[in-house]
Amino acid sequence: MIIARLLRAPAILPKNPCRPVGRGAASKAPAKEQQHAPTTEAEYSQYRVSQLSSLNTPFYPRYTPTSSGALTPAEFHQRFTPKCTENNVWNKAEESVISGRIVGWRAASKKLVFIDVARDGGRVQVLLKKDEWAGSQEFGTIRGALGMGDIIEVTGFPGRTPAGELSLTVRTLTLLAPCLRRIPKEITDIDSRYRHRHLDLLANPRSLDILRTRSQVIHLLRQFFQSRGFVEVETPVLGPKAGGASARPFKTWSNSLEREMVLRIAPELYLKRLVIGGFDKVYEIGKQFRNEAIDMTHNPEFTTLEFYQTLTDLDSTMELTEVVLRELVTGIVGKPFLQIEKHSASRPEPELIELDFSKPFQRIHVAQELEARVGPLGLDTTDPVSHLKAICQKHGVTVHEPHTVPRLLDTLISHYLEPLCIQPTFLTHHPLCMSPLAKQAETAGNIPLADRFELFINGFEFVNAYAELNDPHEQRRRFEQQMKDRQIGDDEAQIPDEEFCDALELGMPPTCGWGLGVDRLVMLLTGASRIREVIAFPTLRD
């Protein structure tokens, strides 16, 4: 039979075809077509068109909603679960409409087909039954024309099958849009999943769930800050210069302005100018763009949330961080505890760890902890770069050029301290030279320290925050040091922004700033191992 041949026929894309149709001898395809099963996507598409032509109706009709509106599967279950309690009992007096995509097809006989319809993350069973069919088409015609993936709307009555499954018995059916290509049962090739994201979402329910969770995370974050009096704003994505972070920007050209433009690497300097202008609490959720490495936790285009609050200090900001993470985890998983898999090269199987967000996060003093492990950092010597390079060489820590003090310190922190941060952990008191936009906190020995913290969870950074430097003269001096780093090859060092320094001269109240990596947070909450799993359309290599 043609169905048997179709099930064996290979597809060019995707490689694992679903059952394209599920029916018996009711097919209306001409005998000539039955002699040649489609083996390419083009042939399969033509085959489906031939099947559907038997309906003599438009394949893509204009849609007119019913007066009651079509239910999603979840709405159907919610409405009729308490009403339909007995098996093999049907409420023919209650008409209902369901729309969605055919994702399952089980032909019990020529007169009865069980169809699974999916929409908006839910699924419901509908029964195509000849004895109850009241459509304008012949039952055999509609049965023979439908295929897997078709989008349909059905009208019928609810009840439960003898097996007890809540279902809808179909009286009429309308084809809203046919599926002219095979939908795979699964896509195992990682690259194919993200290049053909629409197929991935159709074939892998987990991918759909991750993106839904991402939406929920952003909603909860927005709700949290709005409820505390923060004002959401938008700042430029495209501008004349990049600032607010140490990163390499993407560059483009404005034909109208006849000058080079860059995509932002952070919204920080714009948001602080809004604080100077009178906003006490301000935040932005938006895209940043950094022309840097692509790996499991980095994508050139990513999402952050940054907020700035006046007249507060870093201890209060750490407490706020604990609250927002605790409420977010509870909102997503139902409790302030999160189980994750900890992978290690020394273990063949991942270790299951429970992260505890219910209590205050542990804290590590960066400068003290580093010196306890490697000895004096030598930041007060005449050549701190050589001193730090010698420390790295002595302890077998690999360093990459350019060799600047901030980069070498960051390498030591990554090697010694970040692996300690499995449970939520604040790294505090970084050497000041690592934070060109932060206020000085204190001095440990001869090392000036920044009024700054980072939040690490499971060895990865999630939050960076500090008391904002509001001295325009000191800010200019810090920018000058950044320019010296750029001159020796650090093209990620920050570029001076004189307009921002001029704004500081108007006076900026004491302010704390805070930035969260939204994509990494979604990774943590969903158990995703790669950042591209939590981005709808990630950047891919050719």
Side-chain angles (χ1 to χ4, degrees):
M1 294 175 63
I2 187 169
I3 293 308
R5 293 199 299 272
L6 273 174
L7 291 175
R8 293 194 298 267
I12 291 179
L13 178 71
K15 295 181 179 179
N16 299 315
C18 267
R19 183 183 180 94
V21 286
R23 54 188 174 276
S27 173
K28 298 296 183 180
K32 183 177 180 180
E33 290 185 17
Q34 294 193 22
Q35 294 173 5
H36 175 65
T39 58
T40 68
E41 289 297 347
E43 289 181 356
Y44 181 75
S45 178
Q46 293 173 1
Y47 168 76
R48 287 298 334 273
V49 169
S50 175
Q51 289 178 313
L52 294 162
S53 62
S54 64
L55 295 176
N56 294 317
T57 58
F59 292 179
Y60 306 95
R62 292 186 63 220
Y63 184 70
T64 302
T66 61
S67 58
S68 59
L71 300 179
T72 65
E75 291 168 340
F76 178 81
H77 282 285
Q78 183 179 15
R79 179 176 298 184
F80 294 111
T81 294
K83 294 183 178 181
C84 303
T85 58
E86 297 183 43
N87 294 357
N88 204 25
V89 174
W90 301 89
N91 187 357
K92 294 188 178 183
E94 180 123 32
E95 183 177 274
S96 185
V97 181
I98 295 175
S99 65
R101 185 184 294 274
I102 296 176
V103 296
W105 182 291
R106 299 173 300 283
S109 67
K110 292 181 180 181
K111 297 181 179 181
L112 175 62
V113 180
F114 296 89
I115 302 174
D116 292 331
V117 175
R119 178 182 162 208
D120 201 28
R123 180 183 292 216
V124 66
Q125 178 176 269
V126 303
L127 275 60
L128 195 59
K129 206 172 181 183
K130 186 174 182 179
D131 292 345
E132 301 292 346
W133 177 250
S136 59
Q137 302 283 348
E138 290 290 335
F139 179 83
T141 301
I142 196 75
R143 183 185 186 280
L146 295 177
M148 288 287 286
D150 288 347
I151 299 171
I152 60 174
E153 184 167 274
V154 294
T155 302
F157 52 86
R160 290 188 181 273
T161 65
E165 183 169 356
L166 182 65
S167 307
L168 182 89
T169 295
V170 177
R171 280 187 167 142
T172 64
L173 182 151
T174 302
L175 176 69
L176 301 181
C179 179
L180 303 182
R181 289 176 176 263
R182 294 179 175 95
I183 296 176
K185 291 181 180 177
E186 62 178 353
I187 304 176
T188 56
D189 181 71
I190 298 298
D191 190 65
S192 293
R193 285 181 56 196
Y194 304 114
R195 289 194 189 280
H196 309 284
R197 191 60 141 149
H198 50 288
L199 278 178
D200 175 46
L201 296 174
L202 289 172
N204 298 320
R206 172 169 160 74
S207 296
L208 203 63
D209 291 341
I210 287 175
L211 295 185
R212 290 184 188 279
T213 300
R214 179 190 179 95
S215 177
Q216 188 179 1
V217 167
I218 292 174
H219 169 74
L220 290 174
L221 286 170
R222 183 171 276 117
Q223 189 177 60
F224 179 91
F225 286 101
Q226 292 286 147
S227 68
R228 285 162 174 78
F230 284 82
V231 177
E232 184 174 11
V233 298
E234 292 179 305
T235 61
V237 172
L238 188 66
K241 65 176 65 175
S246 297
R248 186 184 302 114
F250 287 97
K251 299 178 180 180
T252 186
W253 179 262
S254 170
N255 292 330
S256 179
L257 299 175
E258 295 185 340
R259 70 180 184 190
E260 184 178 82
M261 305 284 281
V262 296
L263 294 176
R264 71 179 180 190
I265 56 176
E268 176 169 342
L269 301 186
Y270 284 114
L271 292 173
K272 286 195 281 194
R273 286 160 67 179
L274 291 175
V275 170
I276 294 168
F279 285 93
D280 281 353
K281 296 179 178 180
V282 65
Y283 79 101
E284 180 174 11
I285 299 174
K287 292 286 189 181
Q288 318 307 327
F289 305 86
R290 298 184 183 178
N291 196 354
E292 54 190 25
I294 301 175
D295 57 30
M296 292 181 68
T297 59
H298 292 87
N299 191 69
E301 176 185 356
F302 60 100
T303 302
T304 65
L305 185 154
E306 288 202 18
F307 80 73
Y308 292 82
Q309 181 176 1
T310 64
L311 305 179
T312 188
D313 63 8
L314 219 59
D315 285 332
S316 299
T317 305
M318 282 191 271
E319 291 175 5
L320 184 67
T321 303
E322 292 170 343
V323 173
V324 65
L325 267 295
R326 185 176 304 122
E327 289 192 9
L328 195 65
V329 171
T330 303
I332 297 298
V333 302
K335 57 184 179 180
F337 303 94
L338 182 67
Q339 287 195 334
I340 63 168
E341 290 184 347
K342 176 65 178 175
H343 295 268
S344 172
S346 60
R347 294 175 178 268
E349 297 295 330
E351 178 185 5
L352 196 63
I353 295 175
E354 184 173 75
L355 301 178
D356 185 356
F357 293 88
S358 67
K359 60 186 180 182
F361 302 164
Q362 65 182 358
R363 303 186 183 190
I364 295 177
H365 191 296
V366 170
Q368 291 179 359
E369 190 68 25
L370 275 183
E371 291 203 324
R373 292 172 177 273
V374 302
L377 297 175
L379 300 184
D380 57 342
T381 63
T382 57
D383 188 3
V385 169
S386 296
H387 187 87
L388 289 169
K389 286 171 64 179
I391 289 176
C392 292
Q393 185 176 10
K394 176 182 177 181
H395 293 273
V397 179
T398 302
V399 294
H400 301 284
E401 294 185 341
H403 296 150
T404 63
V405 173
R407 281 178 173 267
L408 291 167
L409 287 170
D410 189 62
T411 299
L412 289 171
I413 291 171
S414 297
H415 183 80
Y416 284 107
L417 304 188
E418 292 176 10
L420 304 177
C421 306
I422 303 304
Q423 292 293 330
T425 304
F426 290 124
L427 296 185
T428 66
H429 300 94
H430 301 67
L432 185 63
C433 61
M434 300 181 69
S435 310
L437 297 169
K439 273 192 170 183
Q440 181 172 332
E442 58 188 63
T443 299
N446 294 322
I447 304 177
L449 301 179
D451 202 6
R452 173 190 180 191
F453 73 80
E454 293 176 292
L455 173 65
F456 278 78
I457 307 171
N458 194 28
F460 294 102
E461 178 190 355
F462 286 81
V463 172
N464 186 26
Y466 39 81
E468 302 294 338
L469 178 61
N470 58 352
D471 179 345
H473 305 294
E474 175 63 14
Q475 186 63 78
R476 288 188 176 98
R477 191 193 68 79
R478 302 267 191 95
F479 279 149
E480 289 172 2
Q481 180 57 51
Q482 290 286 296
M483 283 304 296
K484 292 178 181 178
D485 288 346
R486 290 186 72 87
Q487 290 166 5
I488 62 174
D490 187 356
D491 57 1
E492 294 187 357
Q494 297 195 33
I495 298 174
D497 190 324
E498 185 59 31
E499 190 173 358
F500 171 66
C501 294
D502 289 344
L504 284 179
E505 291 186 346
L506 292 169
M508 184 173 78
T511 300
C512 281
W514 184 93
L516 165 73
V518 173
D519 308 285
R520 286 190 183 178
L521 182 59
V522 178
M523 289 176 64
L524 180 73
L525 292 168
T526 60
S529 59
R530 301 174 181 86
I531 192 170
R532 56 186 176 179
E533 291 183 63
V534 305
I535 299 174
F537 297 97
T539 305
L540 301 174
R541 301 179 188 275
D542 290 335

